[in-house]
Amino acid sequence: MIQRFFYGPSFQSGPLGGDAELCALACLEDLGGCFFFMDPLSAHPHQADIDCLVRLLNVHNILTCINPCTAHAMSFVLKEALEDGRMDQIPSFFYTLKSPGVAVYKAEQKQALEAAKKS
């Protein structure tokens, strides 16, 4: 069962704000997956932006392919999941997810806030 899907928007180059555009989509819960390649042998003037993007993709538990090998493999999974109606194979495309660490982080922040209130 194939539902209607469309390719998402393209973005600016990283130094021109492309990483930030992707971060915004992730935070708005409008990003189901990300194929994001970067040159591992070059320094990037916007490394902080790249780090922020990778962190947010992990926080929101979004399917991420960062090199041609993972992208090639994931293409087959995406094709199979969409053709067979297997939403469970690509849950970040259909559901809002969070890393399991988010709940732990929030609990620790709440505990720290309560401790600060008492002192």
Side-chain angles (χ1 to χ4, degrees), residues 31-33 60-63 74 77-78 81 86-97:
L31 188 62
H60 292 281
N61 205 13
I62 294 171
L63 182 142
M74 189 50 61
V77 172
L78 289 170
R86 295 285 313 273
M87 294 179 3
D88 60 306
Q89 289 183 331
I90 50 173
S92 66
F93 277 73
F94 299 99
Y95 309 106
T96 298
L97 304 174

Side-chain angles (χ1 to χ4, degrees), residues 2 22 32 45 54 66 76 80 91-92 104 109:
I2 297 180
L22 280 170
V54 172
I66 60 170
F76 288 105
E80 179 182 297
S92 66
V104 173
Q109 291 298 305

Side-chain angles (χ1 to χ4, degrees), residues 45-58:
H46 62 291
Q47 187 63 46
D49 298 335
I50 294 171
D51 293 343
C52 179
L53 173 62
V54 172
R55 182 176 56 80
L56 285 173
L57 292 172
N58 284 319

